[in-house]
Amino acid sequence: DAGVIQSPRHEVTEMGQEVTLRCKPISGHNSLFWYRQTMMRGLELLIYFNNNVPIDDSGMPEDRFSAKMPNASFSTLKIQPSEPRDSAVYFCASSLRDGLENEQYFGPGTRLTVT
Amino acid sequence: DAKTTQPPSMDCAEGRAANLPCNHSTISGNEYVYWYRQIHSQGPQYIIHGLKNNETNEMASLIITEDRKSSTLILPHATLRDTAVYYCIVRAGDDYKLSFGAGTTVTVRA
């Protein structure tokens, strides 16, 4: 299996632009997670999907952030408009089961720089 | 509030066992101990988890004390590629959240 796939790996954009990050979870996994990592705040959970449905979006920082999962093999995280403080590494993770002992497998991340 | 306490950093020699401690004195009966690591510029990687029995897999061993208030991750023969930040996480079995703390930065030296 190829593991969790994220694209792009690096994104540099100007303040005010729209940014879309993409994730393909491991085939057969029914849970998907978006995390953000910064030096100041560490790794934070942004949103959790189960069976393509958003279950917990309490970590989404504000309305500029949105996430979708149109099918079991694809998810997007969109920032519109982007701001310099959004600069971070964004990770997508997936897991096989919802609930008991479900270890999460992380993608390589997207390093976002907003100038 | 932090559920686990780990030393901020530790060094170990290549080829030797690395023993990473973690305190989780407030752990509940239904909470598991998970270990992840993050090698520089990569996503976190699952290592191992356990409830109360000791566990071993191809990557590491997990020793949990009888009172479950602390645990030790053992990398039996550390290599330079094991240099990473190691996270000890306590999580209920039916909880989807992984709360990453600061972890322990492990440096394996030749």
Side-chain angles (χ1 to χ4, degrees):
Chain A
D1 198 314
V4 175
I5 298 172
Q6 292 187 246
S7 64
R9 294 293 311 276
H10 302 273
E11 177 80 34
V12 180
T13 191
E14 293 184 348
M15 183 174 62
Q17 297 298 307
E18 177 181 296
V19 174
T20 300
L21 311 181
R22 297 173 176 79
C23 175
K24 177 179 170 56
I26 293 173
S27 177
H29 283 191
N30 62 350
S31 295
L32 184 138
F33 308 81
W34 282 100
Y35 289 84
R36 178 173 67 175
Q37 186 172 35
T38 62
M39 289 292 292
M40 291 294 293
R41 301 175 66 90
L43 267 162
E44 305 173 282
L45 177 65
L46 299 178
I47 188 167
Y48 158 55
F49 290 88
N50 187 44
N51 292 323
N52 312 336
V53 176
I55 303 299
D56 181 0
D57 65 355
S58 61
M60 296 286 265
E62 49 198 275
D63 292 344
R64 297 184 298 106
F65 286 68
S66 63
K68 294 182 180 179
M69 193 164 185
N71 57 62
S73 59
F74 184 67
S75 177
T76 60
L77 178 68
K78 185 178 293 186
I79 308 173
Q80 166 63 20
S82 58
E83 297 182 2
R85 60 191 167 126
D86 302 330
S87 296
V89 182
Y90 291 81
F91 291 103
C92 176
S94 69
S95 66
L96 180 59
R97 300 186 294 268
D98 172 29
L100 196 61
E101 303 187 58
N102 52 335
E103 55 266 27
Q104 295 178 22
Y105 295 86
F106 285 74
T110 295
R111 180 174 296 277
L112 173 65
T113 303
V114 183
T115 61
Chain B
D1 55 342
K3 286 190 171 184
T4 64
T5 303
Q6 299 178 251
S9 64
M10 61 182 294
D11 287 0
C12 65
E14 186 179 25
R16 303 294 294 271
N19 297 292
L20 283 61
C22 179
N23 287 323
H24 31 80
S25 59
T26 61
I27 192 169
S28 301
N30 68 336
E31 289 182 319
Y32 289 73
V33 179
Y34 279 78
W35 284 84
Y36 281 75
R37 74 179 182 182
Q38 187 173 21
I39 296 170
H40 183 63
S41 296
Q42 297 183 21
Q45 178 188 24
Y46 166 78
I47 300 173
I48 198 168
H49 74 280
L51 183 62
K52 52 184 176 183
N53 297 322
N54 298 337
E55 302 287 344
T56 295
N57 63 21
E58 65 279 5
M59 291 182 67
S61 295
L62 174 60
I63 309 298
I64 302 174
T65 58
E66 192 169 344
D67 64 8
R68 303 209 320 124
K69 293 185 177 183
S70 65
S71 60
T72 301
L73 179 74
I74 301 173
L75 307 177
H77 304 286
T79 71
L80 299 179
R81 289 175 294 179
D82 292 320
T83 293
V85 179
Y86 287 76
Y87 299 97
C88 172
I89 299 167
V90 165
R91 184 177 75 161
D94 58 354
D95 188 359
Y96 55 85
K97 287 188 177 181
L98 283 176
S99 297
F100 290 86
T104 296
T105 299
V106 174
T107 303
V108 181
R109 302 192 186 278

